[in-house]
Amino acid sequence: MVPLVAVVAVPRAQLFACLLRLGTQQVGPLQLHTGASHTARKHYEVLVLGGGSGGITMAARMKRKVGAENVAVVEPSEISYRYLIIALGIQLDYEKIKGLPEGFAHPKIGSNYSVKTVEKTWKALQDFKEGNAVFTFPNTPVKCAGAPQKIMYLSEAYFRKTGKRSKANIIFNTSLGAIFGVKKYADALQEIIRERNLTVNYKQNLIEVRADKQEAVFENLDKPGETQVISYEMLHVTPPMSPPDVLKTSPVADAAGWVDVDKETLQHKRYPNVFGIGDCTNLPTSKTAAAVAAQSGILDRTISLIMKNQTPTKKYDGYTSCPLVTGYNRVILAEFDYKAEPLETFPVDQSKERLSMYLMKADLMPLLYWNMMLRGYWGGPAFLRKLFHLGMS
């Protein structure tokens, strides 16, 4: 792995020292952006910033094009490059909620978004006796936007299984104005919510946790300043999220701090040898691993053409997917595009809860992720969609 992965342990604040210089010059499509002179083993043909799903996937793809010795995955440092791929992911901002993260030291509260707190979710479920089980969705973009409600459905199923359902008042407080951004799937989820007697409150943003009192404070986004305090027996927190701090003031970022890329080619709008993929970009689609897979195939083709001094032609349509786990053995497989229109792979109604989709989520998707996507061989199910829908409208 040494020829492919270069991991340099210096403070994260230095990560974009080289990128900060980008704003001082305008360059042609293939001119170098470098933060240091070329030295042995310190210059790479392709530099990938970030070692998550997007970074590893693109590094694997680029390795096959320019050789492993010419690709580096960096976290973080200055290294000169000819092409830069930014795949820094998204930042969890628990501290933006008053009382967190220190509140996690108390029982009855957890969060599936951190390895430090995910087991506390399970403990809170096991210890639940009677009262409010509260689940939240923040007033920011998030990764895997279905996860905050997946844990609600799974918790409800657990309460039924353990005979606690009649003692549980399940509440989903979301900052959004709808349960899901695609109407087809939103309608299906609303039916599940009705059938299972779940309470959903919209435009409610968690702003404070009083863990010692088991109280959560929400602001009404329709009436700023108006708050509501809810006592809980269990609280699952989805934290606010944002671009990584090192990106927010970088010249590669837009006004909101996300990597500013063309939504069809994933090429940077101002620096033509810079590219972005995944959660750190301003692509107007849901931030999921499925989106990264589809983006990786497009970005692969984009960079390949640019390396040949040609114009990118393949366009990303915003494909993303969210397998909505609605019970122990059922999934609604939501797939959609930039227009928030369904873009389904299978010739069945995917808004229905299905065991088959659950088995695919539980057994097939991990294999695709670890053995194909992260090795640069999976660019999403577009080819399967064409095959399964052959001759169908």
Side-chain angles (χ1 to χ4, degrees):
M1 292 295 291
V2 175
L4 173 62
V5 182
V7 180
V8 185
V10 297
R12 284 186 65 86
Q14 296 181 21
L15 176 58
F16 274 82
C18 60
L19 293 183
L20 293 176
R21 298 182 178 88
L22 299 184
T24 64
Q25 55 185 318
Q26 294 294 324
V27 299
L30 292 177
Q31 186 175 337
L32 299 182
H33 287 305
T34 60
S37 58
H38 297 184
T39 56
R41 303 303 305 144
K42 289 190 176 180
H43 174 80
Y44 293 87
E45 187 74 3
V46 179
L47 181 65
V48 181
L49 295 185
S53 298
I56 294 173
T57 299
M58 287 311 303
R61 287 178 176 272
M62 293 299 101
K63 177 189 71 172
R64 294 198 292 272
K65 296 194 182 305
V66 299
E69 70 278 4
N70 295 314
V71 181
V73 179
V74 178
E75 291 194 353
S77 183
E78 294 186 20
I79 279 183
S80 66
Y81 57 87
R82 189 172 187 184
Y83 304 101
L84 177 67
I85 300 172
I86 305 174
L88 287 173
I90 199 168
Q91 178 174 288
L92 305 181
D93 295 325
Y94 285 103
E95 69 282 357
K96 290 185 179 179
I97 300 172
K98 185 178 179 180
L100 294 183
E102 61 272 17
F104 288 116
H106 293 263
K108 310 290 187 179
I109 176 175
S111 175
N112 289 0
Y113 275 89
S114 170
V115 294
K116 298 178 181 178
T117 57
V118 64
E119 290 187 5
K120 290 182 63 64
T121 303
W122 176 230
K123 187 69 166 61
L125 269 172
Q126 290 176 306
D127 293 345
F128 186 93
K129 293 181 175 61
E130 183 176 4
N132 293 328
V134 181
F135 304 84
T136 74
F137 192 106
N139 189 29
T140 67
V142 302
K143 58 180 176 180
C144 192
Q149 57 182 296
K150 292 179 193 178
I151 182 57
M152 173 181 65
Y153 302 129
L154 287 171
S155 297
E156 193 274 339
Y158 175 80
F159 291 148
R160 278 189 280 119
K161 181 179 179 180
T162 55
K164 299 178 181 179
R165 181 62 183 93
S166 62
K167 298 179 179 180
N169 180 31
I170 300 175
I171 302 171
F172 186 61
N173 272 15
T174 173
S175 297
L176 303 178
I179 194 66
F180 202 79
V182 180
K183 186 179 185 305
K184 177 177 182 177
Y185 307 119
D187 290 345
L189 293 171
Q190 287 287 7
E191 184 62 21
I192 292 172
I193 289 167
R194 185 190 63 79
E195 290 176 352
R196 300 180 191 175
N197 193 28
L198 308 176
T199 299
V200 178
N201 299 313
Y202 299 104
K203 296 301 186 73
Q204 297 294 313
N205 184 40
L206 179 66
I207 60 172
E208 181 181 357
V209 174
R210 301 167 184 167
D212 56 333
K213 299 179 181 179
Q214 290 179 214
E215 293 178 345
V217 183
F218 294 87
E219 180 181 24
N220 185 342
L221 296 179
D222 285 334
K223 298 178 181 178
E226 179 180 295
T227 61
Q228 178 187 21
V229 180
I230 298 180
S231 297
Y232 61 83
E233 170 67 3
M234 171 192 173
L235 176 64
H236 178 268
V237 176
T238 300
M241 303 181 199
S242 67
D245 287 338
V246 292
L247 267 180
K248 291 174 183 173
T249 57
S250 166
V252 300
D254 64 11
W258 307 101
V259 181
D260 193 15
V261 296
D262 182 278
K263 73 174 189 176
E264 294 182 337
T265 66
L266 282 72
Q267 185 177 24
H268 198 275
K269 291 180 179 178
R270 298 187 301 281
Y271 305 110
N273 65 333
V274 176
F275 310 86
I277 186 173
D279 295 352
C280 67
T281 67
N282 61 0
L283 295 171
T285 194
S286 291
K287 300 178 184 296
T288 68
V292 169
Q295 292 165 21
S296 72
I298 299 297
L299 185 52
D300 187 352
R301 293 178 178 87
T302 292
I303 294 177
S304 295
L305 288 172
I306 288 175
M307 285 178 170
K308 299 174 184 177
N309 202 25
Q310 298 177 14
T311 302
T313 56
K314 192 70 173 179
K315 295 181 179 181
Y316 175 51
D317 56 12
Y319 172 82
T320 189
S321 176
C322 184
L324 292 157
V325 182
T326 55
Y328 280 139
N329 57 5
R330 291 293 184 271
V331 159
I332 289 175
L333 182 59
E335 295 181 287
F336 50 98
D337 59 16
Y338 277 139
K339 301 175 184 177
E341 293 291 337
L343 192 60
E344 298 181 344
T345 299
F346 302 98
V348 296
D349 183 357
Q350 292 181 199
S351 68
K352 303 294 184 183
E353 293 181 283
R354 296 181 185 275
L355 173 61
S356 59
M357 298 304 178
Y358 173 84
L359 294 173
M360 185 176 67
K361 158 70 174 173
D363 299 323
L364 179 59
M365 288 185 179
L367 290 174
L368 284 176
Y369 180 80
W370 293 107
N371 297 306
M372 294 189 67
M373 176 177 161
L374 293 188
R375 295 182 180 184
Y377 294 108
W378 178 251
F383 72 99
L384 291 174
R385 188 180 310 117
K386 291 179 182 178
L387 175 65
F388 291 147
H389 291 270
L390 186 63
M392 299 178 64
S393 60

